[in-house]
Amino acid sequence: QEGAGHSSRSLVFSDLTELEYEKVRDYMWKQADLKISKDPFAAPAENFIFLIDRLLPKKKDVLQYLDESGKEPQRQATVVVFYGSQGVIREYVVGPLPNPTFHKDVTREKYKTNLHINSRPVTIGEYVLLFKFIRKNVFLKLPKLLQESFGVSVDKQELNPFEGMPRGVRSGDRQTWISYFRDYSGMYIHPVGFEVLINHASTNHSQWSVEKVYYNGEYCDSVEDLNQKYEAGTIDKIVYKYTPNYASLKPRTKHLQVGPQQYYPQGQRFSVKNNQVLYLDWSFAFGLSSLTGMRVFDVRFKGKRIIYELSVQEAMSVYGSVTPGMMLTKFLDSSIGIGRFAHELVRGVDCPYTAEYVDTYRYIDTSAPQRFRNSICIFEHDTGRPLRRHFSDFFQYSYGGMGNSVLVFRTITAIGNYDYMWDFIFYQSGSVEAKVHATGYISSSFKVKESTQYGHQVAENTLGNIHTHFINFKVDLDVLGEKNVFQTKDMEFEEVDLPWSPGIKRKIPRLVEQQLVTEQQAALRYDMKMPRYLHIASNQTNRWGHQRSYRLQVFSFTGDHLPESETTEKSMSWARYKVAITRHKDEEQTSSSLYNQNNMWSPAVDFSTFIEDNEDIKNQDLVAWITTGFLHIPHAEDIPNTVTVGNGGGVILRPHNYFDEDPSIDSPDSVYIGPK
Amino acid sequence: QEGAGHSSRSLVFSDLTELEYEKVRDYMWKQADLKISKDPFAAPAENFIFLIDRLLPKKKDVLQYLDESGKEPQRQATVVVFYGSQGVIREYVVGPLPNPTFHKDVTREKYKTNLHINSRPVTIGEYVLLFKFIRKNVFLKLPKLLQESFGVSVDKQELNPFEGMPRGVRSGDRQTWISYFRDYSGMYIHPVGFEVLINHASTNHSQWSVEKVYYNGEYCDSVEDLNQKYEAGTIDKIVYKYTPNYASLKPRTKHLQVGPQQYYPQGQRFSVKNNQVLYLDWSFAFGLSSLTGMRVFDVRFKGKRIIYELSVQEAMSVYGSVTPGMMLTKFLDSSIGIGRFAHELVRGVDCPYTAEYVDTYRYIDTSAPQRFRNSICIFEHDTGRPLRRHFSDFFQYSYGGMGNSVLVFRTITAIGNYDYMWDFIFYQSGSVEAKVHATGYISSSFKVKESTQYGHQVAENTLGNIHTHFINFKVDLDVLGEKNVFQTKDMEFEEVDLPWSPGIKRKIPRLVEQQLVTEQQAALRYDMKMPRYLHIASNQTNRWGHQRSYRLQVFSFTGDHLPESETTEKSMSWARYKVAITRHKDEEQTSSSLYNQNNMWSPAVDFSTFIEDNEDIKNQDLVAWITTGFLHIPHAEDIPNTVTVGNGGGVILRPHNYFDEDPSIDSPDSVYIGPK
Ligand SMILES: [Ca+2]
Ligand SMILES: [Ca+2]
Ligand SMILES: [Ca+2]
Ligand SMILES: [Ca+2]
Ligand SMILES: [Cu+2]
Ligand SMILES: [Cu+2]
């Protein structure tokens, strides 16, 4: 039965294949005038293909292809080239695939500005030079201090770097605070109290410099300055003391009994072919962007499209600290690449043994496509509770119910210290849930005076720094076609006279419905009193005359993300809103960009501009941008790893008068017990 | 291994046994002066034992018994007697069990007032008379109308009643609007448009009267009035039309493949003995109150008590409608009995096949204890996601993780139309979650003009009425003993000068901690900006010098419950607060009472009085009262049953600096994969 009912049309959304990456790369390399280096460790001064990724076709073309037998949209790639030689970044459209014949620079069309070279992420090539630079200009100059303070010999690299971001305080800056951590597994919670500020703004790495050195709470203007103070004894010395690796994840006890496991007693009820999943009444296409991460398209229930696109957009964290490496730190993971870090999933821990595992291929910061084995898992899961049930023992005697088995589509992305678990969950009642949980290591800093204003001590000399986790999802629901409206519903109390008791007044709850008609009305700030029900609705009505809709139910524990007055805030302006509704535009594909992290002050994508034009959203193709997440005040139980319990957020997309009745009533999983 | 490690001391919290119920009942029946009827259908004018339930010993005595080898507290029962003959209700303490020798009227001591007989719930005995009364005084007088409008013959009872509450508008009232529904399974969504207001305030049922009749949107002063208008054709007639039973839960399709199932490949990892559960590092005692529902006591992790009591307190719903039966309706389920309706759980739907099932015994509105087979289930469940994990592929190469297997303790209570699923969940990371989901049938009313101001039409002539679900949990954490404080933590932005860049200012997140020292400070209203972290803390510190605490993380979608100006609000004043912290008192055992529903205007327990005295909560035994729930705007997909997806709420109790590191690191379920 595997393969039955599948359609190759889902490939219109598919990631590039290994061969396609190679063909695009080779095509670009062949353009002699672009002078692109083939070296995977290309230096900043060289020209380097940083990224090849699928360029999705325009929605209109896809819909014509899927719904109206239109022709298949041309398959194209986005190619990002860092021109170190010219100090700019260019983005190209390259096509058609698999045998490209053209490349077109779309940078200005896409971003309305040039991209300064320093808005690029740091490549492996740059890191190699950076670490070499630091070894020579910092470490080799401090053998005694390193030995006495950290037990580290300069002959071996025994401290590992962790970078703060943004890299400076204004556009064009590329000055990075690098904090050092013990070379243990789980280094992130072994800070040693040593940080350096490196200016690597020039693409000519011979011009790089050490700007500041920070040691045990004090700032020095240079390595020499530190050395001198250290020798003179005018700086508080850190005295090395062996610490066992409390960050280790090695089990401390033997396995005893294995816990409960799931199996499919009558076989698997879903199938995966190409990039398409079929599960009971559901079908969808899937992909994984190296930057934004996992996404599904053309999600249909009982054959009818409900969601055009559901995708991860961004994962942001804002930190507080008294130490420089983390004081300003604001991570925008999609600039580093969320999907990039979707590694192999471990059977029996990350996903059940019985899951199906899918490989993905990526081309990012490399010179050859890379295969990531088993980096997506798909499984059916019994949630252990009923989807619905009712028991009756008066007037009528009966029991009816149904278990809640769901399909889970998952990746886990380990972006440095943190691991985000991403789930899209498909319910038999027609709901889809997008869910994220955080786990992995917290970031930490070496404890100094005043540290505990910024978090809690969680280990020897180690402060777990206060920070946020804000996640942005894109939800392009198409409720019975693209033309939709945005509605809210809530309850209000209204005083009425009791009809049967004249003169007696009571306050009665009433349903209050509203339609929000412009993008700015529909940009719901996290701190406003929000209507409890939010709907993307069609003007078509169900059998009972109500507008057919899907409701957005957001689960979030966020608060304020960053004062809007901060110069970096525009790079994360999506976080102002719990929910924002915009008109769909192919040009507004993502709420963040590859360049937002390293040019936070003048970000290539500023989500707030999507709603600045305050377009009419009546009967338009609407996209909902959902923010969820939580505040993380690290505590001792974050050592060694943060647990997923309570550390997450998400959104449920639920039918609300979309059907004429609960569609799960038709499920063959329904159970009924009547009286004898 | 079953039974190893168990202690019979958990019986100090156990429910009464079948034999104990009988002994208490027989003792009470033997007291000739009390003149108690033995008839399970005793009339309102008679004296009737409505309830026998366990009276929990004073906490002090229990702790002495458990912790200091004190003597076992005397086992006692609470007995509620409705004295129809005297117009009062009395509550007795009866003991010692199992062979009682005394009974003591504690009514005034407990409630500071007498209990008017009309604050009692309606007994089966009263219902029998009520239905007989209505049949004679309403149905038998309307044969033609019933036949023509509803297709109902008066020879057979073919309409079923559903009551509105409260029963009137002031203390002492007992006037009930009864709405009629078709005699189908799932009658609750088959309203016919016929409602009657019966005054049954007198315990002498010969004085009962029909006050109003409501038919198809119009009020009549009497049955005769309605008949006359119907005959004269001056009232809009409902013309009967056959409707198939859209409320049926019978499967419409054949079973195909069974979905995923869990099993214990190496056997069960928990054990149940008497009323005690052992699961890995956890142990707890459990019980089920007929009124408030399920509860656990003396919850220990690694041998240390964390929770003295975690219990369901109340489930409240406020409805809106234009029809009289539901216009004022506010249900307070603990007055009807939440635990009372914990029926048999269905294997494979309500709980996994592999769960352990426990019987419970109750004595409520009966004359003999009743056994409820398999009414509690306990199982270990693989949540299908990791509890924690980290993957690293730079500097250090390794993977560490652990699945998230949890113990679930569950009951499901079908209180009329609604089924609440109650879960207490025990995590290997030291967290406990209390969770509730709603399913079953919505309440509905016959659709008339203006109905849709109060909900959506969900079926033929049927309005699903807007309503709330508010749930109250009692959480008596004892963090390293009883003396605790209440703390909040949150993040605030503070402007600082960058130490390495003089003159540049940035706003940095800072940790802000506060201790709330009085009950009124610690009564956190649902609509206030609430600190994101709430903690019950000890003054003892962990290894890193931080106060050891458990955090309360509330998941809720509620809003305002009822304006405080309403005369019925005091009966549900706990719903004003998302979280309220009080000093523990044995006299403040529950936030509601058996009498709150039928005397909402002057409730026997008004939670707000617990905090009115604004006691000091520094270093006291603290109890947290948690409110969760959601607004329910019924929609077509609520037919036939509301699904559990998104319809719930709860609270996670999580260690926060309670330990020195995550206790799951010691779990034998830990997995580690290193490089070769
Ligand atoms: Ca716009
Ligand atoms: Ca759309
Ligand atoms: Ca008090
Ligand atoms: Ca306590
Ligand atoms: Cu975190
Ligand atoms: Cu409801």
Side-chain angles (χ1 to χ4, degrees), chain A residues 160-161 169 177 183-184 219 250-255 257-263 265-269 319-320 327 343 349-350 380-384 386-391 393 395-396 399 402 410 416-417 419 427 439-441 453-454 456-458 460 489 493 499-500 506-511 532-533 544 546 553-554 557 559 565-566 631-633 635-637 639 643-647 654 656-659 661-662 666 668 670 672, chain B residues 161 169 177 183 219 251-255 257-263 265-269 319-320 327 343 346 349-350 380-384 386-391 393 395-396 399 402 410 416-417 419 427 439-441 453-454 456-458 460 489 493 499-500 504 506-511 532-533 544 546 553-554 557 559 561 565-566 631-633 635-637 639 643-647 654-659 661-662 666 668 670 672:
Chain A
N160 293 329
V169 295
W177 273 106
D183 184 32
Y184 278 155
Y219 292 86
K250 286 189 182 149
R252 299 186 188 166
T253 38
K254 276 214 196 122
H255 269 271
Q257 274 169 293
V258 157
Q261 301 291 328
Q262 295 212 13
Y263 71 117
Q266 299 182 329
Q268 184 174 307
R269 306 203 298 180
Y319 283 82
M327 189 180 295
H343 294 284
V349 184
D350 291 334
E380 190 177 4
H381 181 70
D382 168 22
T383 61
L387 174 64
R388 54 177 173 78
R389 65 91 78 186
H390 182 69
F391 170 82
D393 71 346
F395 303 132
Q396 291 274 348
Y399 171 88
M402 182 179 153
R410 173 176 299 163
N417 55 314
D419 302 57
Y427 294 90
T439 178
Y441 290 100
Q453 288 188 27
Y454 300 94
H456 291 307
Q457 184 172 353
V458 294
E460 202 65 46
K489 302 185 187 183
F493 284 91
W500 68 91
R506 288 289 184 269
K507 295 209 176 90
I508 307 292
R510 213 163 58 87
L511 171 61
R532 279 173 275 183
Y533 278 47
W544 316 114
H546 297 294
Q553 185 177 11
V554 183
F557 291 90
S565 56
E566 287 296 285
L631 169 66
H632 193 168
I633 302 174
H635 46 102
E637 294 83 359
I639 307 302
V643 297
T644 52
V645 180
N647 291 324
R654 326 169 43 168
H656 191 101
N657 292 325
Y658 181 88
F659 299 106
E661 61 180 351
D662 171 24
D666 291 319
S670 296
Y672 183 82
Chain B
V169 294
W177 272 106
D183 184 32
Y219 293 86
R252 298 186 188 166
T253 38
K254 276 213 196 121
H255 269 272
Q257 275 169 291
V258 156
Q261 301 290 329
Q262 295 212 16
Y263 71 117
Q266 299 182 330
Q268 184 175 309
R269 306 203 297 179
Y319 283 82
M327 187 181 295
H343 294 283
V346 172
V349 184
D350 291 334
E380 189 177 5
H381 181 70
D382 168 22
T383 62
L387 174 64
R388 53 177 174 79
R389 65 91 77 185
H390 181 70
F391 170 82
D393 70 346
F395 304 129
Q396 291 275 350
Y399 171 88
M402 182 179 152
R410 173 176 298 162
N417 54 314
D419 302 56
Y427 294 89
T439 179
Y441 290 100
Q453 288 188 28
Y454 300 95
H456 291 307
Q457 185 173 351
V458 294
E460 201 68 44
K489 302 185 186 183
F493 285 91
W500 67 92
I504 299 208
R506 289 289 183 269
K507 296 208 175 91
I508 307 292
R510 213 164 58 87
L511 171 62
R532 279 174 275 183
Y533 278 47
W544 316 114
H546 297 294
Q553 185 178 12
V554 183
F557 292 90
H561 63 307
S565 56
E566 287 296 286
L631 168 67
H632 194 168
I633 301 174
H635 46 102
E637 293 84 358
I639 305 303
V643 297
T644 52
V645 180
N647 291 325
R654 327 169 43 171
H656 191 101
N657 292 325
Y658 181 88
F659 299 105
E661 60 179 352
D662 170 24
D666 291 319
S670 296
Y672 183 83

Side-chain angles (χ1 to χ4, degrees), chain A residues 319 418 442 467 469 630 632 642:
Chain A
Y319 283 82
Y418 255 107
I442 56 167
H467 61 279
H469 292 271
F630 60 98
H632 193 168
T642 295

Side-chain angles (χ1 to χ4, degrees), chain A residues 61-87:
Chain A
D61 298 338
V62 172
L63 293 181
Q64 267 174 15
Y65 169 62
L66 294 178
D67 299 345
E68 296 161 40
S69 315
K71 68 172 200 301
E72 186 171 352
Q74 196 183 76
R75 224 171 138 77
Q76 300 177 332
T78 289
V79 178
V80 174
V81 183
F82 297 163
Y83 286 95
S85 69
Q86 302 165 45

